[in-house]
Amino acid sequence: MNPTGLDLPPLLAAFVFGLMGGAHCIGMCGGIMSALTFAVPPSMRHPARLGGLLLSYNVGRVMSYMLAGALVASLGTLLSLSPGAGVALQAFAAVMLILMALYIANWWKGLLKVEAVGRRFWHFIEPFGRRLMPVVKLPQAFALGAIWGWLPCGLVYSMLAWSLAIADPLRGALLMGAFGVGTLPALLATGLAARQLRDLIRHPTTRTIAALSIIAFALWQLFTLYTPGSAH
């Protein structure tokens, strides 16, 4: 099942959505990336070392996304057994994408309410991440990223809704992996102080274009779902 209703490969779409959500990622995780950088002793703060730590952190983060995608998609396999549930799950995924777009563009912050659901869980695991600081070794960075991958995030939750609609654990994991890889440019730019790229990602025009593109994608998904004779 392709929940996009389009010929565009879902993994490519998820990757693009990750790129588009870069501005939000900088706001959510940019501080963590900067903390990783400045916590490294000056004598070890050379590009290769920092790059390795930041990459390890993000690999751990993306792996957590993939695990969450597999778990949620497994739930989707159970829910999709009910008649008509498949279409309902796809419609839910489209609505979540629209909420993601509104969030990215700063037009409406309704996803903050969704994030609040995950804060109770985050309250218990966040201290484990703090114990790993300062990060000076690659395994530390990977472990910290794996923990912070569960940070409550409306964008991640929107993509998890898509994994739910896919109802296939492997594809759900790959979808979240593609999304996570799409977020890498923004976060690596923050951690490596690539100011020009960071400013471009955060520019209001960039955010507006990204939001409108995602909304158009989601509306087309809804259109294909409810058009008589369309394939689901």
Side-chain angles (χ1 to χ4, degrees), residues 63 151 208:
M63 292 294 290
L151 179 73
T208 297

Side-chain angles (χ1 to χ4, degrees), residues 105-184:
N106 285 324
W107 292 336
W108 188 61
K109 297 292 188 179
L111 273 185
L112 289 175
K113 296 180 180 179
V114 180
E115 288 182 1
V117 176
R119 287 187 187 133
R120 292 185 178 181
F121 173 67
W122 176 245
H123 175 74
F124 292 101
I125 66 174
E126 186 267 346
F128 293 99
R130 293 194 177 276
R131 293 173 187 171
L132 293 169
M133 299 290 286
V135 174
V136 294
K137 297 181 180 180
L138 297 182
Q140 277 181 286
F142 178 87
L144 181 64
I147 291 173
W148 284 82
W150 299 95
L151 179 73
C153 174
L155 266 64
V156 173
Y157 293 163
S158 296
M159 293 305 300
L160 285 175
W162 199 2
S163 295
L164 183 71
I166 284 181
D168 180 314
L170 177 59
R171 293 179 64 194
L174 293 176
L175 186 82
M176 292 304 298
F179 168 76
V181 171
T183 65
L184 287 180

Side-chain angles (χ1 to χ4, degrees), residues 8 10-22 178-179 182-183 210 213-214:
L8 182 66
L11 294 185
L12 176 58
F15 173 78
V16 172
F17 291 164
L19 287 175
M20 292 178 172
F179 168 76
T183 65
S213 300
I214 294 174

Side-chain angles (χ1 to χ4, degrees), residues 22 33 45-46 56-57 68 86 120 141 148 152 157 167 173 176 180 204 212 215 225 232:
M33 302 300 287
R45 201 178 296 169
H46 50 83
S56 295
Y57 168 84
R120 292 185 178 181
W148 284 82
Y157 293 163
M176 292 304 298
L212 292 176
I215 289 173
L225 282 175
H232 303 317

